[in-house]
């Protein structure tokens, strides 16, 4: 599908979304490099989810405080925020089960294509467009994402169940990003993130029920406390992502953040853990880097204004004489 801009003569304008998107990339990149430490130190992934949900509370309260505690209570605000929160948290819950029945090296490439869903929905329903440079960046990002997430781990063969669940996660996270952009048109970012936090907390009992309590759980400093420090990066990154979607197009923000964060993770893994990516992942990293540069350098343009309709000449009144009520003036200007 072509998403080239129809108007190329508009002047570029400021892009406040870029700082938020880059902050998200940096936070999620560091989080991605550190997140394996929790399970490596004997803290189950289901409990990691619970800790992550709790770390959403401090940034949610902070932005509400900065906004004068102006929490929106309208049905629209609650519905949008809870939808975004439950889609993201529900996808994470389903991912825990999917990785127990399917191979990670197939599951993650499928999930990584969630920006395809976001781009398609934003193109069709939000009428978002970008120029040729941005279009090329989107294509390269979508091609690179499966290569970046080729995590060759071990997983049991669970028939096609893991494949269908992977598609559901991809759909949930893609629709979540679309609603994040849609909600920002009418709801304050502070309220969106607050209800996202509520949605994440509602699924904590599910995570606790999924935990295998027969296995030992590390409760020391390198258990829940280290996990909380790591997951706080994820929570704050989710907050800055909300603001990135508030000011930027979903067709740009979604592929940029999804392709940029693995770049930071790979760079940190290479520096501190001496992990050298394989040839295929290296190609994906190069493509993601080029895609990120193209998406950042693409000038931001205002949407094309609709062409004015030709002024209609009023029909003569057959039942009345011309008077001061009809002096040839057309429809009043808006």
């Amino acid at each position: 599908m072509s998403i080239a801009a129809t108007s190329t003569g508009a002047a570029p304008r400021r892009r406040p979304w870029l700082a938020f998107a880059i902050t998200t990339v940096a936070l999620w990149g560091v989080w991605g490099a550190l997140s394996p430490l929790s399970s490596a130190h004997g803290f189950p992934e289901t409990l990691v989810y619970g800790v992550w949900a709790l770390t959403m509370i401090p940034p949610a309260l902070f932005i509400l405080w900065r906004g004068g505690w102006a929490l929106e209570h309208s049905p629209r605000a609650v519905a949008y925020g809870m939808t975004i929160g439950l889609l993201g948290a529900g996808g994470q819950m389903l991912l825990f089960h999917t990785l127990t029945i399917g191979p990670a090296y197939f599951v993650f490439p499928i999930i990584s294509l969630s920006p395809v869903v976001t781009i398609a929905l934003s193109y069709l329903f939000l009428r978002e467009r970008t120029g040729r440079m941005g279009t090329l960046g989107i294509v390269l990002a979508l091609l690179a994402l499966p290569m970046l997430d080729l995590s060759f781990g071990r997983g049991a063969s669970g028939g096609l169940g893991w494949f269908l669940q992977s598609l559901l996660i991809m759909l949930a996270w893609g629709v979540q990003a679309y609603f994040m952009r849609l909600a920002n048109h009418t709801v304050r970012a502070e309220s969106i993130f607050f209800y996202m936090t509520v949605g994440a907390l509602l699924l904590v009992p599910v995570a606790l029920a999924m935990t295998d309590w027969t296995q030992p759980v590390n409760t020391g400093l390198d258990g829940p406390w280290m996990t909380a420090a790591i997951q706080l990066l994820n929570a704050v990154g989710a907050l800055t992502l909300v603001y990135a979607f508030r000011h930027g197009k979903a067709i740009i923000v979604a592929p940029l953040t999804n392709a940029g964060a693995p770049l930071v993770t790979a760079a940190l893994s290479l520096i501190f853990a001496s992990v050298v990516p394989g040839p295929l992942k290296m190609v994906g990293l190069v493509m993601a880097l080029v895609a990120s540069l193209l998406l950042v350098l693409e000038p931001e343009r205002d949407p094309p204004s609709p062409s004015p309709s030709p002024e209609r000449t009023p029909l003569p009144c057959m039942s009345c004489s011309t008077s001061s009520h009809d002096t040839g003036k057309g429809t009043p200007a808006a």
Side-chain angles (χ1 to χ4, degrees):
M1 85 183 155
S2 173
I3 51 178
T6 56
S7 174
T8 59
R13 55 186 175 90
R14 293 181 59 202
R15 297 180 292 175
W17 63 268
L18 186 55
F20 292 114
I22 291 177
T23 303
T24 301
V25 167
L27 291 172
W28 281 2
V30 178
W31 164 76
L34 299 177
S35 57
L37 294 177
S38 296
S39 58
H41 285 78
F43 199 70
E45 291 184 345
T46 50
L47 295 185
V48 171
Y49 172 86
V51 172
W52 164 74
L54 292 175
T55 60
M56 295 276 285
I57 297 176
L61 294 178
F62 174 74
I63 60 171
L64 279 179
W65 169 73
R66 286 204 58 179
W69 303 103
L71 177 64
E72 298 176 69
H73 303 90
S74 67
R76 180 195 297 269
V78 175
Y80 275 149
M82 293 297 295
T83 298
I84 295 168
L86 290 175
L87 283 172
Q92 187 65 55
M93 285 283 94
L94 187 58
L95 179 61
F96 290 147
H97 180 260
T98 304
L99 291 176
T100 64
I101 64 174
Y105 52 86
F106 281 142
V107 171
F108 282 107
I110 295 173
I111 295 173
S112 69
L113 293 175
S114 61
V116 174
V117 179
T118 307
I119 292 170
L121 293 175
S122 301
Y123 178 84
L124 292 174
F125 299 112
L126 299 182
R127 305 298 181 185
E128 292 188 346
R129 302 293 187 268
T130 186
R132 292 185 179 90
M133 187 182 300
T135 301
L136 179 59
I138 292 172
V139 173
L140 287 177
L142 296 180
L143 292 175
L145 284 172
M147 300 181 187
L148 293 173
D149 283 308
L150 285 176
S151 306
F152 290 95
R154 292 178 296 175
S157 58
L160 289 179
W162 64 265
F163 178 73
L164 296 177
Q165 291 183 17
S166 300
L167 290 180
L168 286 176
I169 299 169
M170 179 194 73
L171 181 64
W173 287 352
V175 174
Q176 180 203 29
Y178 164 76
F179 272 105
M180 197 175 292
R181 173 58 176 162
L182 179 63
N184 269 299
H185 289 161
T186 54
V187 183
R188 291 166 55 92
E190 296 80 4
S191 298
I192 293 174
F193 190 78
F194 175 84
Y195 291 116
M196 284 175 59
T197 304
V198 173
L201 291 171
L202 286 177
L203 293 184
V204 170
V206 179
L208 296 177
M210 294 173 61
T211 304
D212 184 5
W213 296 103
T214 62
Q215 300 296 322
V217 176
N218 181 6
T219 57
L221 289 177
D222 57 351
W225 299 105
M226 180 185 69
T227 299
I230 295 172
Q231 295 303 317
L232 187 60
L233 298 173
N234 188 356
V236 178
L239 173 61
T240 55
L241 182 65
V242 173
Y243 282 101
F245 276 113
R246 182 171 188 81
H247 299 287
K249 298 177 181 178
I251 62 173
I252 298 294
V253 173
L256 175 60
T257 52
N258 279 271
L263 280 174
V264 178
T265 299
L268 293 176
S269 300
L270 181 61
I271 294 172
F272 296 107
S274 300
V275 176
V276 180
L280 190 59
K281 182 169 285 191
M282 185 63 72
V283 173
L285 289 172
V286 174
M287 292 175 63
L289 177 60
V290 175
S292 300
L293 291 174
L294 291 174
L295 292 171
V296 169
L297 294 176
E298 170 66 23
E300 184 84 2
R301 295 181 173 89
D302 291 312
S305 57
S307 56
S309 57
E311 185 177 0
R312 292 193 231 173
T313 305
L315 295 175
C317 179
M318 303 301 294
S319 59
C320 60
S321 59
T322 56
S323 63
S324 59
H325 296 287
D326 192 331
T327 57
K329 295 181 181 179
T331 305

